[in-house]
Amino acid sequence: MTPPQNFDLKSLIACPKCDALYRVGPVEKGDQAKCLRCRTVLYARRRDAGLIIISTALASTILVIAALFLPFIEISRLGFKNGSTLIDAALAFYGGPLFVLSLAVIGSIIALPLTRLFLTLYTLTPLVLNRPAWPGAKRAFRLSETLRPWSMAEIFLVGCAVSLIKLTDLARVELGPAFWMFVSVILLMAIQNSFMCRWSVWKALER
Ligand SMILES: [Zn+2]
């Protein structure tokens, strides 16, 4: 079906979940436009959203990098104590068949979230500063959205917590600072996600 003439496609928005089509209307500051059928947020106007997103992204980047060098767990048994960082854990399988698996785990919990954080900062920093978007910003934002389902730090943490509970029968297990840093990163990411209005970002990038 072809749209009638003098029909402005830019004034339309489709619900990303159920494909219902709406005409974009004005939204008050702090309000959200939701799909009538499935209640998905179509777009929102929040004060200082961009600033909140880039500050949480920056804080998360620092936490993820710092967490690499600090103990993730500490295990003690019969007076012996051993702390392990995430890099130690990956390298423990070096040379064995499990090394590929440990690299995949490190990729999904460190490399992918760090790449997404970098892409978010690259896309949004100039927009927040009211400057023209940096070159390739559209591609960077699209890549960041494509990677979204693949960065799985929260699933990893839940898995760790379950295995650590099982380990407590054998030894005393303490969660190291890196574990709590990852918990903070997940909370910061959730805040970032709730303030991110993808439609507004695309509109700003088109300008
Ligand atoms: Zn919908």
Side-chain angles (χ1 to χ4, degrees):
M1 192 178 78
T2 48
Q5 273 174 0
N6 70 32
F7 195 80
D8 186 13
L9 280 177
K10 284 190 176 167
S11 68
L12 296 179
I13 183 169
C15 170
K17 251 198 192 144
C18 72
D19 286 341
L21 206 57
Y22 298 94
R23 197 181 289 277
V24 176
V27 165
E28 292 289 313
K29 261 192 178 173
D31 278 354
Q32 297 175 321
K34 286 186 179 168
C35 172
L36 286 173
R37 211 190 301 176
C38 69
R39 310 304 296 159
T40 301
V41 176
L42 301 173
Y43 53 96
R45 245 186 104 190
R46 286 185 147 168
R47 274 190 75 202
D48 305 325
L51 203 59
I52 292 168
I53 292 169
I54 57 170
S55 18
T56 49
L58 204 59
S60 307
T61 310
I62 295 167
L63 282 170
V64 172
I65 294 172
L68 290 180
F69 303 99
L70 292 166
F72 192 78
I73 50 164
E74 286 170 330
I75 296 175
S76 51
R77 183 169 156 82
L78 304 171
F80 293 101
K81 197 172 183 180
N82 197 4
S84 171
T85 66
L86 281 174
I87 292 181
D88 293 336
L91 291 178
F93 298 108
Y94 184 74
L98 284 178
F99 187 55
V100 180
L101 185 68
S102 66
L103 278 188
V105 170
I106 296 290
S108 66
I109 59 166
I110 295 164
L112 279 180
L114 272 184
T115 312
R116 282 202 66 222
L117 288 168
F118 171 76
L119 293 171
T120 306
L121 287 171
Y122 186 86
T123 317
L124 294 188
T125 308
L127 302 184
V128 170
L129 299 173
N130 273 328
R131 299 260 165 93
W134 284 333
K138 279 186 191 173
R139 225 180 302 159
F141 190 59
R142 190 170 299 128
L143 179 62
S144 156
E145 287 299 293
T146 315
L147 293 177
R148 189 148 58 110
W150 297 100
S151 53
M152 297 182 279
E154 59 275 35
I155 295 169
F156 170 75
L157 275 198
V158 172
C160 277
V162 172
S163 6
L164 292 177
I165 289 166
K166 295 202 166 182
L167 256 183
T168 47
D169 291 342
L170 306 168
R172 220 175 100 85
V173 180
E174 278 172 47
L175 299 168
F179 182 90
W180 298 113
M181 282 167 151
F182 265 97
V183 173
S184 329
V185 169
I186 288 163
L187 292 177
L188 285 173
M189 296 262 210
I191 295 172
Q192 189 186 317
N193 217 16
S194 70
F195 276 88
M196 175 77 87
C197 172
R198 285 159 187 96
W199 185 81
S200 309
V201 175
W202 282 119
K203 280 278 154 201
L205 287 174
E206 273 169 14
R207 247 177 265 138

